[in-house]
Amino acid sequence: QVQLVESGGGLVQPGGSLRLSCAASGLTFSRYAMSWYRQAPGKERELVAVIPSGGGSLRYGDSVKGRFTISRDNAKNAAYLQMNSLKPEDTAVYYCNAVYWLAYWGQGTQVTVSS
């Protein structure tokens, strides 16, 4: 049974940082491209960042370029999202996504940026 479990969300002030983690189990992690998505209330889910299975060319949504960094550790079956210079508009539920032949989703972790 495939499981993706996000952690690291919480409340942070504008300008602060958070590091999200995605722990994967039940799959051959190194084969999967890993992504982070987010969904704010009343908005569609949007792509935040993608890291290929081989950890090659990274891709970011325009709104987070230069502030967020995606990474992975295949030995730990984990993906990460380092978020710096957070803004109130970054407030959303953040989801981990794994794609190979099938796509899997985590349950999400809430990130709230507010003073």
Side-chain angles (χ1 to χ4, degrees):
Q1 181 182 358
V2 175
Q3 280 193 314
L4 301 177
V5 180
E6 301 97 334
S7 61
L11 174 64
V12 62
Q13 292 187 342
S17 298
L18 281 175
R19 187 187 192 219
L20 304 183
S21 298
C22 173
S25 60
L27 49 73
T28 305
F29 182 77
S30 60
R31 294 181 179 177
Y32 284 73
M34 299 300 298
S35 302
W36 288 93
Y37 285 76
R38 67 186 183 186
Q39 188 166 20
K43 294 188 177 181
E44 294 186 353
R45 191 171 295 191
E46 67 169 335
L47 177 68
V48 174
V50 181
I51 184 167
S53 58
S57 297
L58 310 180
R59 187 157 57 98
Y60 295 93
D62 288 341
S63 61
V64 307
K65 284 180 182 176
R67 299 188 298 123
F68 291 11
T69 303
I70 189 171
S71 61
R72 65 189 296 157
D73 185 336
N74 288 346
K76 295 183 178 180
N77 285 3
Y80 307 97
L81 185 68
Q82 178 67 44
M83 305 186 296
N84 298 329
S85 302
L86 283 161
K87 305 175 181 179
E89 51 264 43
D90 294 318
T91 295
V93 178
Y94 284 71
Y95 297 92
C96 177
N97 168 268
V99 176
Y100 182 42
W101 291 110
L102 298 175
Y104 299 97
W105 292 90
Q107 82 291 347
T109 186
Q110 176 70 46
V111 172
T112 302
V113 185
S114 175
S115 55

